Amino acid sequence: MHLSYLHIYPIKSCGGITVTESEVDVFGLKHDRRFMVVTPRGEFITQREVPALATVRVNITGPHLRLDAPELPTLTLALTPLGGRPVVTQVWDDTVRAVAPDPAADDWFSSVVGQE
């Protein structure tokens, strides 16, 4: 088997990052799909529903996620949030307890997807 490319997607349904190697932890590839965009009711949003998520470019810079999207300022978030508002969401058949890391991220993604 020959592996040509390896991509991680720190935020589900947003742009990916090409990596040449990756650590693996109990959740899989490190930093892969550790964040997702959800509605106020905790329903996750995918590119199938909101194609604008594909315009979000994600980079990891040290301990931060750097997010860029057309016509929006860059958003920088902690790669490992230290707190935030608790959120209960569902991913397919799994109920997940998550954290909304920053109200600025809520506003930024609301602008991207065109809804709260």
Side-chain angles (χ1 to χ4, degrees), residues 42-104:
E43 300 161 332
F44 74 95
I45 299 173
T46 70
Q47 264 187 39
R48 285 183 208 109
E49 301 156 336
V50 182
L53 286 174
T55 68
V56 177
R57 296 290 162 238
V58 182
N59 288 294
I60 296 174
T61 306
H64 297 99
L65 279 178
R66 178 187 161 131
L67 310 177
D68 291 289
E71 300 180 27
L72 289 175
T74 297
L75 176 67
T76 302
L77 299 171
L79 195 52
T80 305
L82 299 176
R85 178 176 43 85
V87 176
V88 176
T89 185
Q90 187 148 347
V91 180
W92 308 121
D93 293 328
D94 297 317
T95 298
V96 179
R97 293 181 188 273
V99 173
D102 188 330

Side-chain angles (χ1 to χ4, degrees), residues 25 107 113:
D25 61 23
D107 295 339
V113 302

